[in-house]
Amino acid sequence: MDMENSVGDSETSDGRDEMEKKKVGLLRALVETKDPTAKDVDNLMLRRFLRARDLDVEKASMMFLKYLKWRHAMGYTSETYIQNELAQEKLYMQGRDKKGRPIGVAFPCKHNYSHRDLDEFKRFVVYSLDKLCASIPEGQEKFVIIADHKGWGYANFDIRGYVAALSIMQDYYPERLGKVFLIHVPYIFWTAWKVIYPFIDKNTREKIVFVENKSLQSVLLKEIDENQLPEIYGGKLPLIPIQESSY
């Protein structure tokens, strides 16, 4: 019986793969007629946009063409233009989880909306996502984030900044987030969460894990080997600011 189920699962998986492959071809044909620069992207990128729209070729094409237009306008962000954001050292990148996905560690308590320029913050988000994606090894497509809210307060609640960051990640980097661990979450954060939640799409919501303080180390070690976990969480790696990361 187990063998029959295994064969059935394999056939189902093969069927899904073939359907995806066919739809990626349809998506490529559609977007290349509307923007010739689409020829420069690989099938894996097109597949991510397709999956983000539940394999709907028309919706995926609109999403992808919007991405191309945005990327042409945005370009790739230089550290020169985000010095204020980098100086706050609120994002680090070090280690990989057990699936090989790079790990980013964010400290929202270091983000103060009264001292930020929104355009610079958006560029910082793009810079950070580009660097995380560039560090993803062959055979993997996603990264993991540990968002440490220790010390977070209302001075750090930046609704415009949070929504902008969510929009950039969800609209232009689909299927790149593997999981985000929200840790050391203070009680006052839940007020902010109610405001932010409606802006989080279904796919992203499914990747968010709230971790209780008492089970923090065990939860993280289940996903990340000790020699890849930051020292501050009981691991062996030092935290390295994202701009100094060698990835």
Side-chain angles (χ1 to χ4, degrees), residues 132-235:
L132 280 162
C133 290
S135 72
I136 297 173
E138 187 175 350
Q140 182 54 261
E141 296 185 68
K142 301 181 179 183
F143 56 79
V144 171
I145 296 291
I146 299 173
D148 191 333
H149 287 76
K150 189 173 184 179
W152 187 93
Y154 287 126
N156 311 118
F157 181 38
D158 178 8
I159 178 65
R160 292 185 66 197
Y162 287 180
V163 170
L166 272 170
S167 177
I168 290 170
M169 185 182 71
Q170 294 176 164
D171 293 346
Y172 306 129
Y173 297 82
E175 297 298 303
R176 283 301 203 179
L177 178 66
K179 188 173 289 188
V180 55
F181 298 97
L182 300 186
I183 69 173
H184 296 142
V185 178
Y187 181 76
I188 59 172
F189 177 79
W190 293 106
T191 302
W193 179 250
K194 291 177 182 178
V195 177
I196 292 295
Y197 189 79
F199 295 97
I200 306 174
D201 67 27
K202 179 176 69 70
N203 289 338
T204 303
R205 289 174 186 174
E206 293 173 352
K207 298 168 184 176
I208 298 172
V209 179
F210 283 90
V211 184
E212 295 183 356
N213 292 344
K214 63 182 179 181
S215 56
L216 174 59
Q217 191 171 18
S218 63
V219 169
L220 293 180
L221 285 174
K222 186 177 180 180
E223 304 267 350
I224 305 167
D225 287 327
E226 185 181 14
N227 65 355
Q228 295 293 302
L229 190 66
E231 293 171 331
I232 59 172
Y233 307 125

Side-chain angles (χ1 to χ4, degrees), residues 8-196:
D9 290 343
S10 177
E11 289 175 348
T12 301
S13 178
D14 289 344
R16 282 197 300 266
D17 290 344
E18 283 302 313
M19 180 176 66
E20 274 196 353
K21 197 175 295 183
K22 181 179 179 180
K23 290 202 171 188
V24 166
L26 292 172
L27 177 59
R28 178 172 292 284
L30 182 57
V31 296
E32 285 184 2
T33 60
K34 296 186 178 181
D35 188 335
T37 64
K39 294 178 180 179
D40 298 330
V41 307
D42 60 26
N43 285 342
L44 290 176
M45 175 176 278
L46 291 178
R47 189 179 68 178
R48 288 193 292 271
F49 279 84
L50 194 58
R51 287 177 173 177
R53 289 298 177 263
D54 297 321
L55 304 186
D56 186 311
V57 174
E58 184 64 33
K59 290 181 179 179
S61 70
M62 290 189 290
M63 184 184 190
F64 182 72
L65 290 169
K66 179 183 176 183
Y67 159 78
L68 284 182
K69 184 177 180 181
W70 168 82
R71 179 52 94 180
H72 296 329
M74 170 63 69
Y76 290 88
T77 302
S78 166
E79 294 176 5
T80 303
Y81 302 105
I82 54 173
Q83 287 298 306
N84 180 58
E85 291 292 326
L86 293 176
Q88 297 170 41
E89 296 193 351
K90 54 191 171 187
L91 182 61
Y92 298 76
M93 188 170 76
Q94 179 69 302
R96 300 183 186 278
D97 73 356
K98 293 180 180 180
K99 294 181 179 179
R101 301 178 294 191
I103 302 167
V105 183
F107 293 91
C109 66
K110 294 185 178 183
H111 177 78
N112 192 317
Y113 75 90
S114 64
H115 298 151
R116 70 101 176 96
D117 174 82
L118 187 58
D119 287 336
E120 182 185 8
F121 177 67
K122 289 179 181 178
R123 289 194 293 270
F124 171 71
V125 172
V126 172
Y127 167 88
S128 301
L129 290 171
D130 282 344
K131 191 142 189 181
L132 280 162
C133 290
S135 72
I136 297 173
E138 187 175 350
Q140 182 54 261
E141 296 185 68
K142 301 181 179 183
F143 56 79
V144 171
I145 296 291
I146 299 173
D148 191 333
H149 287 76
K150 189 173 184 179
W152 187 93
Y154 287 126
N156 311 118
F157 181 38
D158 178 8
I159 178 65
R160 292 185 66 197
Y162 287 180
V163 170
L166 272 170
S167 177
I168 290 170
M169 185 182 71
Q170 294 176 164
D171 293 346
Y172 306 129
Y173 297 82
E175 297 298 303
R176 283 301 203 179
L177 178 66
K179 188 173 289 188
V180 55
F181 298 97
L182 300 186
I183 69 173
H184 296 142
V185 178
Y187 181 76
I188 59 172
F189 177 79
W190 293 106
T191 302
W193 179 250
K194 291 177 182 178
V195 177
I196 292 295

